[in-house]
Amino acid sequence: MQTTGTLHVVATPIGHLGDLSPRARETLAGVDAICAEDTRHTRQLLAHFGIERPLVALHQHNESAQSAQLVARLQAGESLALVSDAGTPLISDPGFRLVRAAREADIRVSPVPGACAAIAAMSVAGIASDRFTFEGFLPAKTGARRERLARLASESRTLVFYEAAHRIQETLDDCAAAFGGERHAALGRELTKLFETVLDGPLDRLRDRVAADPNQRRGEFVLIVEGAGDDADARIIEGRRLYAKLAEHLPPSTAAKLAAELSGAPRKALYGGEPRDSGE
């Protein structure tokens, strides 16, 4: 009787190559093929460890089409590994469609855990980690990003974001505006790599430090923002209630200004950062 293979979801280093576990190396060396987000990047990783395995490109543009073929290979008895460019697959990376298709086909899906940028940053942030929400990358467009942050302003759990170098300054500016400059945060940059830095403090201070140092605008970032306290929750809830009433009779900017003054809530947390940029 034909036995189905296993899909191994394998975490790879986010920087330091020493973080690839012995089990991950053994798994990658033993599968029939490796599904990789970027085959060129993965080939370099494998070469460093002397591993030679066939590679299959699996990324956001072909995942839906590739999944059926890969499931057929698993059903035929092959074992496959799934890796992303760095860290744990599926955490803001492709792969969930393949995992879902494999599980729906009653194929075993087994995790090989290891590095994850979000968890690594949380472990050194000095911010409460008993309850947190992972938000991944914020929208690239200014208006959509500000709207998302406005909706998160009253979230009491710690907030975890990924961000790219070319948007980190704008994101810090918008976070300070939406959450208040006094909200505590930590910014992990190039974690486990040569130029690793972790900055922490009030959002307005982080924003200013990054603005003043071009080196702090290079690399890959994880931003950890402290959740809203009970007092902040109450102010924002009351501010939004007031804004909804005032906006029935006043322009949005005027309604938000008055609601913020009466409630003590950040103005941009009340109506999503109007006026919005239309060209970005």
Side-chain angles (χ1 to χ4, degrees):
M1 180 177 178
Q2 179 69 52
T3 303
T4 59
T6 299
L7 175 62
H8 302 274
V9 182
V10 182
T12 57
I14 59 176
H16 197 297
L17 294 178
D19 292 335
L20 187 69
S21 72
R23 182 181 168 215
R25 282 182 294 217
E26 181 181 355
T27 301
L28 293 174
V31 294
D32 293 288
I34 299 170
C35 307
E37 184 179 3
D38 184 333
T39 56
R40 295 167 300 179
H41 180 90
T42 300
R43 188 172 287 110
Q44 292 176 354
L45 176 69
L46 297 177
H48 178 83
F49 291 100
I51 298 171
E52 294 185 8
R53 290 283 86 197
L55 294 173
V56 177
L58 186 80
H59 45 72
Q60 62 178 339
H61 303 295
N62 74 349
E63 185 179 355
S64 295
Q66 281 278 48
S67 292
Q69 299 175 30
L70 293 169
V71 166
R73 293 179 65 170
L74 290 160
Q75 289 174 322
E78 293 188 34
S79 285
L80 304 175
L82 170 64
V83 300
S84 61
D85 284 352
T88 301
L90 280 73
I91 310 302
S92 279
D93 287 322
F96 91 88
R97 292 179 178 85
L98 174 58
V99 169
R100 176 182 289 177
R103 296 191 65 83
E104 288 176 348
D106 291 325
I107 291 165
R108 180 177 177 236
V109 181
S110 178
V112 182
C116 174
I119 301 303
M122 286 288 294
S123 72
V124 297
I127 295 175
S129 56
D130 54 332
R131 296 175 64 246
F132 64 91
T133 176
F134 177 67
E135 292 293 322
F137 287 93
L138 288 162
K141 292 186 177 180
T142 301
R145 181 172 61 247
R146 290 175 178 174
E147 288 180 3
R148 175 81 61 82
L149 291 171
R151 291 197 297 270
L152 293 169
S154 61
E155 173 59 64
S156 62
R157 295 172 293 179
T158 294
L159 299 163
V160 183
F161 305 98
Y162 285 166
E163 193 50 277
H166 64 283
R167 285 196 299 268
I168 188 60
Q169 188 66 60
E170 294 177 3
T171 292
L172 288 170
D173 292 344
D174 290 341
C175 282
F179 303 147
E182 72 286 352
R183 184 84 70 90
H184 196 80
L187 184 65
R189 181 180 76 92
E190 294 290 89
L191 294 176
T192 80
K193 300 176 185 177
L194 180 62
F195 297 106
E196 171 185 285
T197 58
V198 180
L199 306 178
D200 74 292
L203 273 167
D204 55 4
R205 192 169 76 191
L206 284 186
R207 174 196 61 201
D208 294 344
R209 290 179 70 179
V210 171
D213 185 355
N215 288 325
Q216 295 302 324
R217 299 193 296 275
R218 297 172 180 169
E220 297 176 327
F221 297 85
V222 184
L223 176 62
I224 313 289
V225 180
E226 187 176 53
D230 293 339
D231 290 343
D233 287 348
R235 290 197 302 269
I236 290 170
I237 291 170
E238 176 63 10
R240 287 176 174 166
R241 185 188 69 81
L242 290 171
Y243 170 73
K245 292 293 184 182
L246 291 168
E248 295 175 1
H249 308 286
L250 297 169
S253 59
T254 304
K257 180 180 179 181
L258 290 173
E261 290 176 355
L262 292 170
S263 66
R267 179 178 64 85
K268 290 189 177 182
L270 304 183
Y271 72 127
E274 295 276 343
R276 298 188 182 99
D277 290 352
S278 59
E280 190 170 335

